[in-house]
PDB file of all heavy atoms in Angstrom:
ATOM      1  N   PHE A 392    -205.755 -94.124-120.161  1.00 96.00           N
ATOM      2  CA  PHE A 392    -204.715 -93.750-119.219  1.00 96.00           C
ATOM      3  C   PHE A 392    -203.427 -93.347-119.897  1.00 96.00           C
ATOM      4  O   PHE A 392    -202.776 -92.379-119.583  1.00 96.00           O
ATOM      5  CB  PHE A 392    -204.409 -94.905-118.223  1.00 96.00           C
ATOM      6  CG  PHE A 392    -203.478 -94.587-117.116  1.00 96.00           C
ATOM      7  CD1 PHE A 392    -203.814 -93.531-116.283  1.00 96.00           C
ATOM      8  CD2 PHE A 392    -202.374 -95.395-116.860  1.00 96.00           C
ATOM      9  CE1 PHE A 392    -202.918 -93.210-115.213  1.00 96.00           C
ATOM     10  CE2 PHE A 392    -201.484 -95.050-115.815  1.00 96.00           C
ATOM     11  CZ  PHE A 392    -201.751 -93.966-114.912  1.00 96.00           C
ATOM     12  N   ASN A 393    -203.145 -94.059-120.985  1.00 96.00           N
ATOM     13  CA  ASN A 393    -201.894 -93.802-121.801  1.00 96.00           C
ATOM     14  C   ASN A 393    -202.047 -92.427-122.504  1.00 96.00           C
ATOM     15  O   ASN A 393    -201.013 -91.940-122.977  1.00 96.00           O
ATOM     16  CB  ASN A 393    -201.597 -94.897-122.785  1.00 96.00           C
ATOM     17  CG  ASN A 393    -201.144 -96.138-121.948  1.00 96.00           C
ATOM     18  OD1 ASN A 393    -200.581 -96.013-120.854  1.00 96.00           O
ATOM     19  ND2 ASN A 393    -201.233 -97.335-122.567  1.00 96.00           N
ATOM     20  N   ALA A 394    -203.242 -91.983-122.657  1.00 96.00           N
ATOM     21  CA  ALA A 394    -203.491 -90.618-123.338  1.00 96.00           C
ATOM     22  C   ALA A 394    -203.086 -89.502-122.329  1.00 96.00           C
ATOM     23  O   ALA A 394    -202.878 -88.366-122.729  1.00 96.00           O
ATOM     24  CB  ALA A 394    -204.919 -90.485-123.792  1.00 96.00           C
ATOM     25  N   VAL A 395    -202.933 -89.849-121.021  1.00 96.00           N
ATOM     26  CA  VAL A 395    -202.494 -88.828-120.051  1.00 96.00           C
ATOM     27  C   VAL A 395    -200.907 -88.690-120.247  1.00 96.00           C
ATOM     28  O   VAL A 395    -200.290 -89.708-120.386  1.00 96.00           O
ATOM     29  CB  VAL A 395    -202.771 -89.333-118.617  1.00 96.00           C
ATOM     30  CG1 VAL A 395    -202.218 -88.442-117.563  1.00 96.00           C
ATOM     31  CG2 VAL A 395    -204.293 -89.536-118.442  1.00 96.00           C
ATOM     32  N   PRO A 396    -200.413 -87.421-120.306  1.00 96.00           N
ATOM     33  CA  PRO A 396    -199.037 -87.304-120.532  1.00 96.00           C
ATOM     34  C   PRO A 396    -198.246 -88.066-119.447  1.00 96.00           C
ATOM     35  O   PRO A 396    -198.662 -88.157-118.284  1.00 96.00           O
ATOM     36  CB  PRO A 396    -198.745 -85.776-120.297  1.00 96.00           C
ATOM     37  CG  PRO A 396    -200.109 -85.120-120.551  1.00 96.00           C
ATOM     38  CD  PRO A 396    -201.145 -86.120-120.231  1.00 96.00           C
ATOM     39  N   GLU A 397    -197.180 -88.735-119.848  1.00 96.00           N
ATOM     40  CA  GLU A 397    -196.501 -89.712-118.991  1.00 96.00           C
ATOM     41  C   GLU A 397    -196.142 -89.157-117.618  1.00 96.00           C
ATOM     42  O   GLU A 397    -196.386 -89.860-116.614  1.00 96.00           O
ATOM     43  CB  GLU A 397    -195.248 -90.261-119.726  1.00 96.00           C
ATOM     44  CG  GLU A 397    -194.811 -91.551-119.024  1.00 96.00           C
ATOM     45  CD  GLU A 397    -193.775 -92.263-119.853  1.00 96.00           C
ATOM     46  OE1 GLU A 397    -193.413 -91.881-121.002  1.00 96.00           O
ATOM     47  OE2 GLU A 397    -193.194 -93.235-119.245  1.00 96.00           O
ATOM     48  N   GLY A 398    -195.662 -87.913-117.593  1.00 97.00           N
ATOM     49  CA  GLY A 398    -195.211 -87.299-116.319  1.00 97.00           C
ATOM     50  C   GLY A 398    -196.409 -87.032-115.424  1.00 97.00           C
ATOM     51  O   GLY A 398    -196.192 -86.772-114.213  1.00 97.00           O
ATOM     52  N   ASP A 399    -197.576 -87.071-115.873  1.00 97.00           N
ATOM     53  CA  ASP A 399    -198.765 -86.778-115.070  1.00 97.00           C
ATOM     54  C   ASP A 399    -199.506 -88.092-114.636  1.00 97.00           C
ATOM     55  O   ASP A 399    -200.502 -87.977-113.914  1.00 97.00           O
ATOM     56  CB  ASP A 399    -199.792 -85.915-115.878  1.00 97.00           C
ATOM     57  CG  ASP A 399    -199.291 -84.564-116.153  1.00 97.00           C
ATOM     58  OD1 ASP A 399    -198.379 -84.081-115.366  1.00 97.00           O
ATOM     59  OD2 ASP A 399    -199.765 -83.925-117.064  1.00 97.00           O
ATOM     60  N   ARG A 400    -199.020 -89.217-115.071  1.00 97.00           N
ATOM     61  CA  ARG A 400    -199.719 -90.464-114.654  1.00 97.00           C
ATOM     62  C   ARG A 400    -199.253 -90.933-113.271  1.00 97.00           C
ATOM     63  O   ARG A 400    -198.079 -90.864-112.966  1.00 97.00           O
ATOM     64  CB  ARG A 400    -199.282 -91.582-115.655  1.00 97.00           C
ATOM     65  CG  ARG A 400    -200.005 -91.416-116.993  1.00 97.00           C
ATOM     66  CD  ARG A 400    -199.567 -92.587-117.910  1.00 97.00           C
ATOM     67  NE  ARG A 400    -199.394 -92.167-119.217  1.00 97.00           N
ATOM     68  CZ  ARG A 400    -198.605 -92.657-120.092  1.00 97.00           C
ATOM     69  NH1 ARG A 400    -197.946 -93.796-119.816  1.00 97.00           N
ATOM     70  NH2 ARG A 400    -198.555 -92.181-121.319  1.00 97.00           N
ATOM     71  N   LEU A 401    -200.273 -91.232-112.542  1.00 96.00           N
ATOM     72  CA  LEU A 401    -200.004 -91.785-111.228  1.00 96.00           C
ATOM     73  C   LEU A 401    -200.606 -93.150-111.114  1.00 96.00           C
ATOM     74  O   LEU A 401    -201.813 -93.357-111.275  1.00 96.00           O
ATOM     75  CB  LEU A 401    -200.632 -90.880-110.142  1.00 96.00           C
ATOM     76  CG  LEU A 401    -200.156 -90.900-108.758  1.00 96.00           C
ATOM     77  CD1 LEU A 401    -198.689 -90.446-108.657  1.00 96.00           C
ATOM     78  CD2 LEU A 401    -200.994 -89.893-107.944  1.00 96.00           C
ATOM     79  N   SER A 402    -199.709 -94.172-110.960  1.00 96.00           N
ATOM     80  CA  SER A 402    -200.197 -95.561-110.860  1.00 96.00           C
ATOM     81  C   SER A 402    -199.755 -96.026-109.502  1.00 96.00           C
ATOM     82  O   SER A 402    -198.605 -95.996-109.180  1.00 96.00           O
ATOM     83  CB  SER A 402    -199.582 -96.302-111.982  1.00 96.00           C
ATOM     84  OG  SER A 402    -199.417 -97.592-111.629  1.00 96.00           O
ATOM     85  N   ALA A 403    -200.703 -96.275-108.642  1.00 95.00           N
ATOM     86  CA  ALA A 403    -200.314 -96.457-107.210  1.00 95.00           C
ATOM     87  C   ALA A 403    -201.226 -97.511-106.555  1.00 95.00           C
ATOM     88  O   ALA A 403    -202.147 -98.005-107.200  1.00 95.00           O
ATOM     89  CB  ALA A 403    -200.408 -95.145-106.482  1.00 95.00           C
ATOM     90  N   ARG A 404    -201.067 -97.572-105.267  1.00 96.00           N
ATOM     91  CA  ARG A 404    -202.014 -98.471-104.504  1.00 96.00           C
ATOM     92  C   ARG A 404    -202.851 -97.530-103.628  1.00 96.00           C
ATOM     93  O   ARG A 404    -202.449 -96.382-103.285  1.00 96.00           O
ATOM     94  CB  ARG A 404    -201.272 -99.471-103.619  1.00 96.00           C
ATOM     95  CG  ARG A 404    -200.443-100.346-104.486  1.00 96.00           C
ATOM     96  CD  ARG A 404    -200.139-101.693-103.796  1.00 96.00           C
ATOM     97  NE  ARG A 404    -201.282-102.578-103.651  1.00 96.00           N
ATOM     98  CZ  ARG A 404    -201.838-103.313-104.611  1.00 96.00           C
ATOM     99  NH1 ARG A 404    -201.303-103.314-105.757  1.00 96.00           N
ATOM    100  NH2 ARG A 404    -202.899-104.072-104.319  1.00 96.00           N
ATOM    101  N   GLY A 405    -204.086 -97.951-103.286  1.00 97.00           N
ATOM    102  CA  GLY A 405    -204.951 -97.076-102.586  1.00 97.00           C
ATOM    103  C   GLY A 405    -205.879 -97.808-101.635  1.00 97.00           C
ATOM    104  O   GLY A 405    -206.111 -98.987-101.739  1.00 97.00           O
ATOM    105  N   ILE A 406    -206.401 -97.056-100.661  1.00 97.00           N
ATOM    106  CA  ILE A 406    -207.354 -97.577 -99.689  1.00 97.00           C
ATOM    107  C   ILE A 406    -208.702 -96.965-100.048  1.00 97.00           C
ATOM    108  O   ILE A 406    -208.856 -95.769 -99.990  1.00 97.00           O
ATOM    109  CB  ILE A 406    -206.955 -97.263 -98.237  1.00 97.00           C
ATOM    110  CG1 ILE A 406    -205.562 -97.736 -97.930  1.00 97.00           C
ATOM    111  CG2 ILE A 406    -207.996 -97.741 -97.185  1.00 97.00           C
ATOM    112  CD1 ILE A 406    -204.967 -97.203 -96.639  1.00 97.00           C
ATOM    113  N   GLU A 407    -209.724 -97.820-100.167  1.00 97.00           N
ATOM    114  CA  GLU A 407    -211.078 -97.285-100.504  1.00 97.00           C
ATOM    115  C   GLU A 407    -211.724 -96.897 -99.142  1.00 97.00           C
ATOM    116  O   GLU A 407    -211.974 -97.781 -98.322  1.00 97.00           O
ATOM    117  CB  GLU A 407    -211.918 -98.415-101.172  1.00 97.00           C
ATOM    118  CG  GLU A 407    -213.319 -97.985-101.412  1.00 97.00           C
ATOM    119  CD  GLU A 407    -214.265 -99.114-101.478  1.00 97.00           C
ATOM    120  OE1 GLU A 407    -213.953-100.218-102.039  1.00 97.00           O
ATOM    121  OE2 GLU A 407    -215.405 -99.022-100.930  1.00 97.00           O
ATOM    122  N   VAL A 408    -211.894 -95.636 -98.922  1.00 98.00           N
ATOM    123  CA  VAL A 408    -212.537 -95.140 -97.680  1.00 98.00           C
ATOM    124  C   VAL A 408    -214.017 -94.776 -97.861  1.00 98.00           C
ATOM    125  O   VAL A 408    -214.757 -94.696 -96.906  1.00 98.00           O
ATOM    126  CB  VAL A 408    -211.776 -94.069 -97.055  1.00 98.00           C
ATOM    127  CG1 VAL A 408    -210.468 -94.562 -96.429  1.00 98.00           C
ATOM    128  CG2 VAL A 408    -211.528 -92.912 -98.064  1.00 98.00           C
ATOM    129  N   GLY A 409    -214.437 -94.662 -99.086  1.00 98.00           N
ATOM    130  CA  GLY A 409    -215.853 -94.342 -99.322  1.00 98.00           C
ATOM    131  C   GLY A 409    -216.271 -94.834-100.712  1.00 98.00           C
ATOM    132  O   GLY A 409    -215.402 -95.051-101.571  1.00 98.00           O
ATOM    133  N   HIS A 410    -217.530 -95.027-100.883  1.00 96.00           N
ATOM    134  CA  HIS A 410    -218.011 -95.572-102.164  1.00 96.00           C
ATOM    135  C   HIS A 410    -219.432 -95.040-102.327  1.00 96.00           C
ATOM    136  O   HIS A 410    -220.259 -95.202-101.419  1.00 96.00           O
ATOM    137  CB  HIS A 410    -218.050 -97.088-102.060  1.00 96.00           C
ATOM    138  CG  HIS A 410    -218.064 -97.708-103.439  1.00 96.00           C
ATOM    139  ND1 HIS A 410    -217.741 -99.097-103.671  1.00 96.00           N
ATOM    140  CD2 HIS A 410    -218.424 -97.229-104.674  1.00 96.00           C
ATOM    141  CE1 HIS A 410    -217.905 -99.359-104.921  1.00 96.00           C
ATOM    142  NE2 HIS A 410    -218.250 -98.214-105.611  1.00 96.00           N
ATOM    143  N   ILE A 411    -219.720 -94.397-103.443  1.00 97.00           N
ATOM    144  CA  ILE A 411    -221.068 -93.886-103.643  1.00 97.00           C
ATOM    145  C   ILE A 411    -221.656 -94.465-104.976  1.00 97.00           C
ATOM    146  O   ILE A 411    -220.917 -94.742-105.937  1.00 97.00           O
ATOM    147  CB  ILE A 411    -221.065 -92.325-103.740  1.00 97.00           C
ATOM    148  CG1 ILE A 411    -220.226 -91.753-104.829  1.00 97.00           C
ATOM    149  CG2 ILE A 411    -220.670 -91.777-102.391  1.00 97.00           C
ATOM    150  CD1 ILE A 411    -220.239 -90.255-104.902  1.00 97.00           C
ATOM    151  N   PHE A 412    -222.930 -94.685-104.882  1.00 95.00           N
ATOM    152  CA  PHE A 412    -223.610 -95.399-106.076  1.00 95.00           C
ATOM    153  C   PHE A 412    -224.879 -94.653-106.448  1.00 95.00           C
ATOM    154  O   PHE A 412    -225.628 -94.134-105.515  1.00 95.00           O
ATOM    155  CB  PHE A 412    -224.080 -96.733-105.663  1.00 95.00           C
ATOM    156  CG  PHE A 412    -223.098 -97.670-105.131  1.00 95.00           C
ATOM    157  CD1 PHE A 412    -222.620 -97.673-103.842  1.00 95.00           C
ATOM    158  CD2 PHE A 412    -222.606 -98.693-105.970  1.00 95.00           C
ATOM    159  CE1 PHE A 412    -221.651 -98.555-103.390  1.00 95.00           C
ATOM    160  CE2 PHE A 412    -221.660 -99.639-105.558  1.00 95.00           C
ATOM    161  CZ  PHE A 412    -221.213 -99.602-104.267  1.00 95.00           C
ATOM    162  N   TYR A 413    -225.185 -94.548-107.732  1.00 96.00           N
ATOM    163  CA  TYR A 413    -226.549 -94.243-108.121  1.00 96.00           C
ATOM    164  C   TYR A 413    -227.050 -95.506-108.818  1.00 96.00           C
ATOM    165  O   TYR A 413    -226.356 -96.046-109.740  1.00 96.00           O
ATOM    166  CB  TYR A 413    -226.525 -93.091-109.125  1.00 96.00           C
ATOM    167  CG  TYR A 413    -227.747 -92.967-109.942  1.00 96.00           C
ATOM    168  CD1 TYR A 413    -228.980 -92.576-109.331  1.00 96.00           C
ATOM    169  CD2 TYR A 413    -227.868 -93.409-111.267  1.00 96.00           C
ATOM    170  CE1 TYR A 413    -230.168 -92.514-110.072  1.00 96.00           C
ATOM    171  CE2 TYR A 413    -229.037 -93.368-112.040  1.00 96.00           C
ATOM    172  CZ  TYR A 413    -230.224 -92.933-111.346  1.00 96.00           C
ATOM    173  OH  TYR A 413    -231.416 -92.939-112.032  1.00 96.00           O
ATOM    174  N   PHE A 414    -228.200 -96.038-108.352  1.00 94.00           N
ATOM    175  CA  PHE A 414    -228.680 -97.231-108.992  1.00 94.00           C
ATOM    176  C   PHE A 414    -230.080 -97.156-109.425  1.00 94.00           C
ATOM    177  O   PHE A 414    -230.764 -98.211-109.639  1.00 94.00           O
ATOM    178  CB  PHE A 414    -228.371 -98.460-108.154  1.00 94.00           C
ATOM    179  CG  PHE A 414    -228.715 -98.247-106.690  1.00 94.00           C
ATOM    180  CD1 PHE A 414    -230.062 -98.110-106.232  1.00 94.00           C
ATOM    181  CD2 PHE A 414    -227.695 -98.101-105.736  1.00 94.00           C
ATOM    182  CE1 PHE A 414    -230.347 -97.865-104.867  1.00 94.00           C
ATOM    183  CE2 PHE A 414    -227.986 -97.847-104.412  1.00 94.00           C
ATOM    184  CZ  PHE A 414    -229.295 -97.786-103.949  1.00 94.00           C
ATOM    185  N   GLY A 415    -230.653 -95.909-109.584  1.00 95.00           N
ATOM    186  CA  GLY A 415    -232.012 -95.754-110.170  1.00 95.00           C
ATOM    187  C   GLY A 415    -233.040 -96.511-109.420  1.00 95.00           C
ATOM    188  O   GLY A 415    -233.200 -96.398-108.223  1.00 95.00           O
ATOM    189  N   THR A 416    -233.791 -97.367-110.137  1.00 96.00           N
ATOM    190  CA  THR A 416    -234.956 -98.002-109.522  1.00 96.00           C
ATOM    191  C   THR A 416    -234.681 -99.497-109.200  1.00 96.00           C
ATOM    192  O   THR A 416    -235.650-100.263-109.031  1.00 96.00           O
ATOM    193  CB  THR A 416    -236.160 -97.927-110.533  1.00 96.00           C
ATOM    194  OG1 THR A 416    -235.761 -98.504-111.704  1.00 96.00           O
ATOM    195  CG2 THR A 416    -236.544 -96.452-110.751  1.00 96.00           C
ATOM    196  N   LYS A 417    -233.399 -99.824-109.022  1.00 95.00           N
ATOM    197  CA  LYS A 417    -233.077-101.237-108.756  1.00 95.00           C
ATOM    198  C   LYS A 417    -233.786-101.836-107.600  1.00 95.00           C
ATOM    199  O   LYS A 417    -234.151-102.990-107.559  1.00 95.00           O
ATOM    200  CB  LYS A 417    -231.511-101.346-108.569  1.00 95.00           C
ATOM    201  CG  LYS A 417    -231.106-102.760-108.263  1.00 95.00           C
ATOM    202  CD  LYS A 417    -229.674-102.958-108.126  1.00 95.00           C
ATOM    203  CE  LYS A 417    -229.361-104.190-107.208  1.00 95.00           C
ATOM    204  NZ  LYS A 417    -228.621-105.242-107.758  1.00 95.00           N
ATOM    205  N   TYR A 418    -233.953-101.047-106.514  1.00 96.00           N
ATOM    206  CA  TYR A 418    -234.660-101.546-105.320  1.00 96.00           C
ATOM    207  C   TYR A 418    -236.098-101.041-105.308  1.00 96.00           C
ATOM    208  O   TYR A 418    -236.969-101.773-104.832  1.00 96.00           O
ATOM    209  CB  TYR A 418    -233.881-101.084-104.071  1.00 96.00           C
ATOM    210  CG  TYR A 418    -232.561-101.690-103.997  1.00 96.00           C
ATOM    211  CD1 TYR A 418    -231.493-100.954-104.490  1.00 96.00           C
ATOM    212  CD2 TYR A 418    -232.285-102.981-103.542  1.00 96.00           C
ATOM    213  CE1 TYR A 418    -230.120-101.460-104.517  1.00 96.00           C
ATOM    214  CE2 TYR A 418    -230.980-103.476-103.601  1.00 96.00           C
ATOM    215  CZ  TYR A 418    -229.975-102.716-104.067  1.00 96.00           C
ATOM    216  OH  TYR A 418    -228.716-103.276-104.046  1.00 96.00           O
ATOM    217  N   SER A 419    -236.400 -99.844-105.788  1.00 98.00           N
ATOM    218  CA  SER A 419    -237.690 -99.250-105.690  1.00 98.00           C
ATOM    219  C   SER A 419    -238.673-100.054-106.474  1.00 98.00           C
ATOM    220  O   SER A 419    -239.846-100.260-106.060  1.00 98.00           O
ATOM    221  CB  SER A 419    -237.697 -97.804-106.027  1.00 98.00           C
ATOM    222  OG  SER A 419    -237.230 -97.594-107.357  1.00 98.00           O
ATOM    223  N   GLU A 420    -238.259-100.583-107.647  1.00 97.00           N
ATOM    224  CA  GLU A 420    -239.195-101.381-108.464  1.00 97.00           C
ATOM    225  C   GLU A 420    -239.636-102.700-107.843  1.00 97.00           C
ATOM    226  O   GLU A 420    -240.802-102.844-107.603  1.00 97.00           O
ATOM    227  CB  GLU A 420    -238.627-101.598-109.855  1.00 97.00           C
ATOM    228  CG  GLU A 420    -238.954-100.386-110.772  1.00 97.00           C
ATOM    229  CD  GLU A 420    -238.777-100.753-112.283  1.00 97.00           C
ATOM    230  OE1 GLU A 420    -239.372-101.764-112.700  1.00 97.00           O
ATOM    231  OE2 GLU A 420    -237.979-100.054-112.943  1.00 97.00           O
ATOM    232  N   PRO A 421    -238.693-103.579-107.487  1.00 97.00           N
ATOM    233  CA  PRO A 421    -239.121-104.826-106.921  1.00 97.00           C
ATOM    234  C   PRO A 421    -239.794-104.622-105.560  1.00 97.00           C
ATOM    235  O   PRO A 421    -240.655-105.418-105.153  1.00 97.00           O
ATOM    236  CB  PRO A 421    -237.849-105.625-106.795  1.00 97.00           C
ATOM    237  CG  PRO A 421    -236.730-104.703-106.891  1.00 97.00           C
ATOM    238  CD  PRO A 421    -237.243-103.576-107.688  1.00 97.00           C
ATOM    239  N   MET A 422    -239.487-103.593-104.850  1.00 97.00           N
ATOM    240  CA  MET A 422    -240.037-103.402-103.526  1.00 97.00           C
ATOM    241  C   MET A 422    -241.188-102.403-103.495  1.00 97.00           C
ATOM    242  O   MET A 422    -241.773-102.121-102.459  1.00 97.00           O
ATOM    243  CB  MET A 422    -238.963-102.968-102.505  1.00 97.00           C
ATOM    244  CG  MET A 422    -237.882-104.014-102.359  1.00 97.00           C
ATOM    245  SD  MET A 422    -236.715-103.576-101.104  1.00 97.00           S
ATOM    246  CE  MET A 422    -237.639-103.613 -99.650  1.00 97.00           C
ATOM    247  N   GLY A 423    -241.573-101.892-104.694  1.00 97.00           N
ATOM    248  CA  GLY A 423    -242.763-101.068-104.741  1.00 97.00           C
ATOM    249  C   GLY A 423    -242.625 -99.766-104.027  1.00 97.00           C
ATOM    250  O   GLY A 423    -243.625 -99.297-103.370  1.00 97.00           O
ATOM    251  N   ALA A 424    -241.505 -99.125-104.112  1.00 98.00           N
ATOM    252  CA  ALA A 424    -241.288 -97.785-103.461  1.00 98.00           C
ATOM    253  C   ALA A 424    -241.640 -96.696-104.576  1.00 98.00           C
ATOM    254  O   ALA A 424    -240.792 -96.436-105.376  1.00 98.00           O
ATOM    255  CB  ALA A 424    -239.933 -97.616-102.921  1.00 98.00           C
ATOM    256  N   LYS A 425    -242.847 -96.176-104.497  1.00 98.00           N
ATOM    257  CA  LYS A 425    -243.163 -95.208-105.494  1.00 98.00           C
ATOM    258  C   LYS A 425    -243.924 -94.004-104.849  1.00 98.00           C
ATOM    259  O   LYS A 425    -244.443 -94.123-103.686  1.00 98.00           O
ATOM    260  CB  LYS A 425    -243.988 -95.756-106.632  1.00 98.00           C
ATOM    261  CG  LYS A 425    -245.158 -96.607-106.092  1.00 98.00           C
ATOM    262  CD  LYS A 425    -245.687 -97.444-107.252  1.00 98.00           C
ATOM    263  CE  LYS A 425    -246.730 -98.431-106.684  1.00 98.00           C
ATOM    264  NZ  LYS A 425    -247.237 -99.446-107.607  1.00 98.00           N
ATOM    265  N   VAL A 426    -243.848 -92.841-105.555  1.00 98.00           N
ATOM    266  CA  VAL A 426    -244.515 -91.660-105.103  1.00 98.00           C
ATOM    267  C   VAL A 426    -245.359 -91.087-106.288  1.00 98.00           C
ATOM    268  O   VAL A 426    -245.150 -91.399-107.397  1.00 98.00           O
ATOM    269  CB  VAL A 426    -243.517 -90.586-104.644  1.00 98.00           C
ATOM    270  CG1 VAL A 426    -242.812 -90.979-103.418  1.00 98.00           C
ATOM    271  CG2 VAL A 426    -242.598 -90.186-105.768  1.00 98.00           C
ATOM    272  N   GLN A 427    -246.341 -90.253-105.832  1.00 98.00           N
ATOM    273  CA  GLN A 427    -247.169 -89.616-106.788  1.00 98.00           C
ATOM    274  C   GLN A 427    -246.374 -88.387-107.347  1.00 98.00           C
ATOM    275  O   GLN A 427    -245.901 -87.606-106.530  1.00 98.00           O
ATOM    276  CB  GLN A 427    -248.485 -89.197-106.221  1.00 98.00           C
ATOM    277  CG  GLN A 427    -249.523 -88.770-107.288  1.00 98.00           C
ATOM    278  CD  GLN A 427    -250.824 -88.558-106.664  1.00 98.00           C
ATOM    279  OE1 GLN A 427    -250.942 -87.850-105.630  1.00 98.00           O
ATOM    280  NE2 GLN A 427    -251.899 -89.120-107.255  1.00 98.00           N
ATOM    281  N   GLY A 428    -246.254 -88.278-108.648  1.00 98.00           N
ATOM    282  CA  GLY A 428    -245.589 -87.115-109.224  1.00 98.00           C
ATOM    283  C   GLY A 428    -246.505 -85.969-109.491  1.00 98.00           C
ATOM    284  O   GLY A 428    -247.684 -86.106-109.239  1.00 98.00           O
ATOM    285  N   PRO A 429    -245.918 -84.856-109.880  1.00 98.00           N
ATOM    286  CA  PRO A 429    -246.750 -83.700-110.225  1.00 98.00           C
ATOM    287  C   PRO A 429    -247.831 -84.043-111.348  1.00 98.00           C
ATOM    288  O   PRO A 429    -248.802 -83.299-111.388  1.00 98.00           O
ATOM    289  CB  PRO A 429    -245.760 -82.599-110.648  1.00 98.00           C
ATOM    290  CG  PRO A 429    -244.479 -83.267-110.738  1.00 98.00           C
ATOM    291  CD  PRO A 429    -244.512 -84.605-110.149  1.00 98.00           C
ATOM    292  N   ASP A 430    -247.544 -85.007-112.103  1.00 97.00           N
ATOM    293  CA  ASP A 430    -248.493 -85.410-113.156  1.00 97.00           C
ATOM    294  C   ASP A 430    -249.594 -86.212-112.604  1.00 97.00           C
ATOM    295  O   ASP A 430    -250.428 -86.759-113.440  1.00 97.00           O
ATOM    296  CB  ASP A 430    -247.684 -86.141-114.240  1.00 97.00           C
ATOM    297  CG  ASP A 430    -246.969 -87.419-113.703  1.00 97.00           C
ATOM    298  OD1 ASP A 430    -247.039 -87.628-112.498  1.00 97.00           O
ATOM    299  OD2 ASP A 430    -246.203 -88.056-114.395  1.00 97.00           O
TER     300      ASP A 430
END
Side-chain angles (χ1 to χ4, degrees):
F392 188 55
N393 287 338
V395 175
E397 196 170 352
D399 292 338
R400 286 182 219 154
L401 202 61
S402 151
R404 300 203 69 80
I406 302 168
E407 177 206 321
V408 287
H410 198 165
I411 60 178
F412 300 82
Y413 162 73
F414 42 72
T416 58
K417 176 177 157 122
Y418 300 92
S419 58
E420 272 196 56
M422 296 186 66
K425 49 196 173 188
V426 293
Q427 191 171 49
D430 55 4

